Amino acid sequence: MRLGIAGLLAQATRRLAPAVAGFCGASILAAACLHAPLSAAQSAPARLQPSSVEAFFDAAWEDDFATDLRPPGLVITVVQGDNIVLNKGYGVSDSERGTAADPERTRLRIGSVSKLFTALTALALVDQGNLQMDRNVNDYLRRVQIEDDYSTPVTVRTLLSHLSGLNADVGGYMSYDNSDTANDFDEYQRRLVRVRNSGVVYGYDNMGIGLLGYIAGLANESTFPRAVEQTILEPLGMKKTTMGVPGEQLRELAACHSWNSDGETVQCQHKFMRDTFMGAGDITTTGDDMARFMSAMLGGGCGEAGCVLTADSFRDFTDMSLNRPHPAGLGMGYVMLELPFESHYAIGHSGGQDGFSTLLVLFPESSVGLFISQMHYPGIPDAHNLAVGLQLISTSGAVNPGAKAMSVSRSFADRFVAPDSERAVSLDLAESIAIEELAGLYLRTRQVGDQFMSRLMHRMDAVRVTVSGDTVMIGDRGPFKVAGPGVLAQEGSDTRYLAFRRGGEQFLYRSDGLPINLLMQVPRRWEPRVTVLPMLLSLLALPLALLATLFFKGGSAGRQVSSLVALSVALVTVGLVCDMAFYDELYYPGSGTLAIMAWRGLIMAGWLLALYVLYVMVQCRQTVFAMSGVGNIATSALFGVFAVCLVSLLALLVYWDMVGTLLG
């Protein structure tokens, strides 16, 4: 369901999410039934010819990357085993200066691909005995703590699996000053909010992976960047790579490029990740260093100076069966993702950072790795507020760099990488479910937040599943029919939706979707028609009431009631707008307590006034709702609209947790 500007806000937020972006009738997942382990290749993979690979990407730069909006520059690196097949820059790293993109010198920010380095660092510290996979992470934290009012603790394992249950909002990560990235731990504590139990719901977790990096630094008795350097970069010989952007990297860092509402490339200002968020996406590197990284990942985690993990830990890191919600769907190891390539088994990660969009793909059976870093991207929003939402609307639809890189990567695989041997899939699902139980409302698990603005946008992005006989509609997709245990298929389409149940919750996702992008069934009372729409409709009472005050005479009861209705709705509206526009920038730094109390006070004053107006309407019902004569019927209808709006206002403000506490 789309609700005008509000729906566009939700759609725009989905489009900017930094990653590669169902239902059954008979049975769903109760215990993990997984892809069989990869078999060894039957013969040595065909050797890639550097000239052919270069010609392919030269053509892609001229054709594929030139559509819609060409990035100013990009770096493409291809390896096969230990051999660098291609390491080439295209275009410029600075559109104003005309500096050529250099794969050996130009520093690239790889966004969420950095999460792979964070996971490897944490696993290396587990191998060393400095971290334990299933220990409560509060045991490692010193200056902050995660609330323990849930039945299961947050652990290293749940952080590695995007199962922490933390608020995953992406605001507050950044500083515009590279010398000012230190943490305010009071602010960080306010951001460490749990929104659900750990170990149940997969949801892309920037907050959690950032926390994992911070914990790794503490466990290493140093800083997180130093822990990454010691455990990953030094063993792999990655001398041009850092976690963060220290001064020596800034000199060679590509300029920040984005685009405006007309789809034109513009330069932007670099933003730098704060210390406790670095693990979510702050590696700075070069094409040749990423060649070393890919070769190591294809070689069991070993580089020129040693291995980063034990064999068992590396196997877990790349074992997509560890987190595969449905046996017919894609899986995830520890942060490492299985990527949607039809005839090839591919793993890797994508990433978006201000000015950069990156994709890393590994084809283990062919020992081939591909790295594409485009030098433009709108980046991570500073906060969830009205200004950011409007900006997303104006820029998000212009181009999708991640989709473009994925399309080129698939073409590369189809041409140069031999199809993989088939892997057996078990569809033995134990728990049955009636098809009618699939009907209901589903929300995406990727976007989770506790602020009013993020919750509002999340609700507006709901997907409705309807069941009619033996067919299922998922939003506007379908009809689907049961095609196997936990599998829904659409005739004439390759699109399938998969269903499973975990921890008492019910989920669906596309067969070519990632486990971090699930749809989760929620109570029907959460649907936008019950929550968001009445709130928007209640705002109509303001202009109606203002007009009514002009219509009614002198000191009539009608004029008094209309004036009170207008004041009540105005107070609430001003309070809500302030909350959506300024809450993030005032609450988390702790600098705006009085301002927040003021506008929350307005909301509560409007709420109490609405109660009083309803009381007056009841007391004066014979006058207010007189039903004799055309004029009285018309005014009674108007007051009826007022009453419905006020009741909606009262119920929804309590429902959205906007009344009862001043600071939320």
Side-chain angles (χ1 to χ4, degrees):
M1 182 177 184
R2 292 290 180 265
L3 302 175
I5 293 295
L8 288 173
L9 282 170
Q11 185 182 40
T13 299
R14 289 205 313 279
R15 287 180 178 175
L16 266 184
V20 183
F23 268 86
C24 71
S27 55
I28 68 171
L29 200 61
C33 303
L34 309 165
H35 286 282
L38 280 175
S39 59
Q42 298 300 312
S43 59
R47 182 169 294 279
L48 299 181
Q49 298 301 314
S51 59
S52 298
V53 171
E54 182 175 14
F56 172 84
F57 283 110
D58 287 351
W61 169 249
E62 295 298 333
D63 298 329
D64 301 89
F65 288 104
T67 59
D68 298 326
L69 178 64
R70 166 177 278 181
L74 55 80
V75 166
I76 297 178
T77 306
V78 179
V79 300
Q80 186 171 37
D82 293 332
N83 300 314
I84 298 178
V85 178
L86 177 70
N87 189 34
K88 186 172 181 177
Y90 294 86
V92 296
S93 62
D94 188 319
S95 59
E96 293 183 355
R97 298 181 180 179
T99 308
D102 186 333
E104 296 183 359
R105 294 187 59 184
T106 301
R107 267 38 175 198
L108 309 164
R109 304 182 73 185
I110 62 175
S112 286
V113 178
S114 308
K115 289 179 170 67
L116 300 178
F117 290 79
T118 303
L120 287 167
T121 301
L123 289 168
L125 291 167
V126 170
D127 284 343
Q128 296 169 16
N130 295 324
L131 285 175
Q132 296 178 28
M133 291 290 282
D134 298 308
R135 188 173 178 179
N136 189 329
V137 297
N138 277 336
D139 294 342
Y140 301 108
L141 294 171
R142 298 170 189 169
R143 302 185 64 177
V144 295
Q145 288 283 285
I146 298 173
E147 56 186 304
D148 260 343
D149 51 355
Y150 287 81
S151 60
T152 56
V154 177
T155 65
V156 171
R157 190 184 305 276
T158 58
L159 291 173
L160 284 166
S161 301
H162 289 288
L163 286 168
S164 74
L166 288 169
N167 169 15
D169 273 351
V170 294
Y173 282 42
M174 302 295 187
S175 168
Y176 286 97
D177 182 353
N178 195 35
S179 63
D180 180 29
T181 58
N183 296 288
D184 179 319
F185 283 96
D186 289 335
E187 176 179 348
Y188 188 42
Q189 181 67 73
R190 283 188 283 273
R191 292 188 180 275
L192 281 175
V193 177
R194 293 185 70 177
V195 295
R196 54 198 173 203
N197 236 329
S198 62
V200 176
V201 180
Y202 292 102
Y204 193 69
D205 193 358
N206 280 303
M207 177 65 70
I209 304 300
L211 176 66
L212 181 64
Y214 174 56
I215 291 170
L218 295 175
N220 195 59
E221 297 184 350
S222 62
T223 64
F224 175 52
R226 180 57 180 152
V228 174
E229 184 179 359
Q230 290 178 326
T231 59
I232 310 301
L233 304 181
E234 290 177 357
L236 301 187
M238 299 177 69
K239 298 178 181 179
K240 303 173 188 175
T241 301
T242 58
M243 180 63 74
V245 192
E248 64 270 19
Q249 296 285 49
L250 276 173
R251 291 190 292 271
E252 302 288 351
L253 183 64
C256 181
H257 296 99
S258 182
W259 54 83
N260 59 25
S261 57
D262 296 323
E264 301 169 334
T265 297
V266 294
Q267 287 210 357
C268 47
Q269 185 177 356
H270 284 297
K271 290 188 288 189
F272 305 97
M273 301 194 84
R274 297 197 178 277
D275 296 349
T276 49
F277 298 119
M278 283 182 172
D282 208 23
I283 283 285
T284 305
T285 188
T286 61
D288 53 329
D289 259 17
M290 288 307 295
R292 293 181 175 86
F293 181 77
M294 290 190 291
S295 292
M297 296 303 99
L298 293 166
C302 299
E304 60 187 44
C307 299
V308 297
L309 299 179
T310 64
D312 287 344
S313 291
F314 189 80
R315 190 178 303 113
D316 288 343
F317 174 61
T318 56
D319 183 359
M320 300 298 107
S321 68
L322 284 180
N323 293 288
R324 191 187 303 279
H326 189 285
L330 299 176
M332 176 174 63
Y334 285 138
V335 175
M336 181 75 81
L337 299 167
E338 185 176 4
L339 301 179
F341 284 75
E342 289 185 1
S343 58
H344 303 89
Y345 173 69
I347 61 177
H349 213 289
S350 64
Q353 173 64 283
D354 292 80
F356 300 88
S357 175
T358 302
L359 176 65
L360 181 145
V361 186
L362 304 173
F363 302 97
E365 291 197 6
S366 299
S367 195
V368 171
L370 170 62
F371 171 78
I372 301 175
S373 186
Q374 302 176 68
M375 298 175 202
H376 71 164
Y377 195 68
I380 301 173
D382 291 324
H384 270 158
N385 56 36
L386 285 176
V388 169
L390 295 173
Q391 181 184 15
L392 293 179
I393 290 174
S394 67
T395 61
S396 65
V399 67
N400 185 341
K404 192 180 294 188
M406 180 61 77
S407 176
V408 171
S409 299
R410 287 175 177 145
S411 297
F412 167 81
D414 290 340
R415 179 168 175 181
F416 293 101
V417 182
D420 295 335
S421 56
E422 284 200 25
R423 297 178 299 282
V425 175
S426 168
L427 285 178
D428 295 331
L429 303 178
E431 187 177 354
S432 63
I433 183 171
I435 190 171
E436 58 269 17
E437 293 182 32
L438 303 175
L441 189 75
Y442 292 77
L443 291 180
R444 302 175 195 277
T445 62
R446 177 167 183 141
Q447 182 183 341
V448 180
D450 66 324
Q451 303 101 312
F452 176 66
M453 184 70 179
S454 59
R455 283 181 288 166
L456 184 66
M457 294 173 69
H458 195 200
R459 295 290 169 80
M460 291 186 295
D461 203 23
V463 175
R464 176 166 297 283
V465 175
T466 57
V467 177
S468 177
D470 64 346
T471 64
V472 179
M473 291 292 297
I474 302 172
D476 57 359
R477 295 178 178 270
F480 294 90
K481 292 191 175 183
V482 176
V487 179
L488 289 180
Q490 182 179 11
E491 186 175 354
S493 172
D494 293 333
T495 300
R496 295 182 300 164
Y497 273 87
L498 311 173
F500 70 98
R501 186 171 284 155
R502 182 187 179 101
E505 305 289 352
Q506 188 168 300
F507 303 88
L508 70 88
Y509 71 129
R510 286 174 54 133
S511 57
D512 59 351
L514 301 173
I516 51 178
N517 294 331
L518 302 177
L519 292 173
M520 176 180 174
Q521 192 177 51
V522 295
R524 291 180 184 271
R525 66 178 183 273
W526 286 21
E527 67 173 280
R529 288 179 295 185
V530 176
T531 57
V532 180
L533 184 58
M535 179 174 287
L536 297 177
L537 290 177
S538 68
L539 301 182
L540 294 177
L542 181 57
L544 288 176
L546 291 174
L547 288 174
T549 58
L550 301 176
F551 172 76
F552 291 113
K553 297 179 180 179
S556 67
R559 184 182 180 89
Q560 293 175 6
V561 169
S562 298
S563 299
L564 292 175
V565 169
L567 179 58
S568 172
V569 176
L571 290 173
V572 172
T573 301
V574 170
L576 289 178
V577 169
C578 288
D579 214 73
M580 289 188 288
F582 306 117
Y583 184 84
D584 269 27
E585 64 186 73
L586 294 180
Y587 171 71
Y588 292 109
S591 59
T593 301
L594 292 178
I596 296 171
M597 291 177 66
W599 74 61
R600 289 285 175 95
L602 290 179
I603 291 174
M604 281 189 271
W607 184 78
L608 291 172
L609 187 55
L611 276 175
Y612 174 70
V613 175
L614 285 175
Y615 170 78
V616 170
M617 284 184 172
V618 171
Q619 291 297 308
C620 304
R621 57 187 177 277
Q622 292 182 342
T623 303
V624 171
F625 296 106
M627 300 301 291
S628 59
V630 175
N632 286 337
I633 291 174
T635 56
S636 296
L638 179 60
F639 285 120
V641 172
F642 289 167
V644 170
C645 290
L646 293 175
V647 169
S648 299
L649 204 64
L650 293 172
L652 289 170
L653 289 179
V654 175
Y655 179 82
W656 286 102
D657 296 328
M658 297 300 293
V659 175
T661 60
L662 288 177
L663 296 181

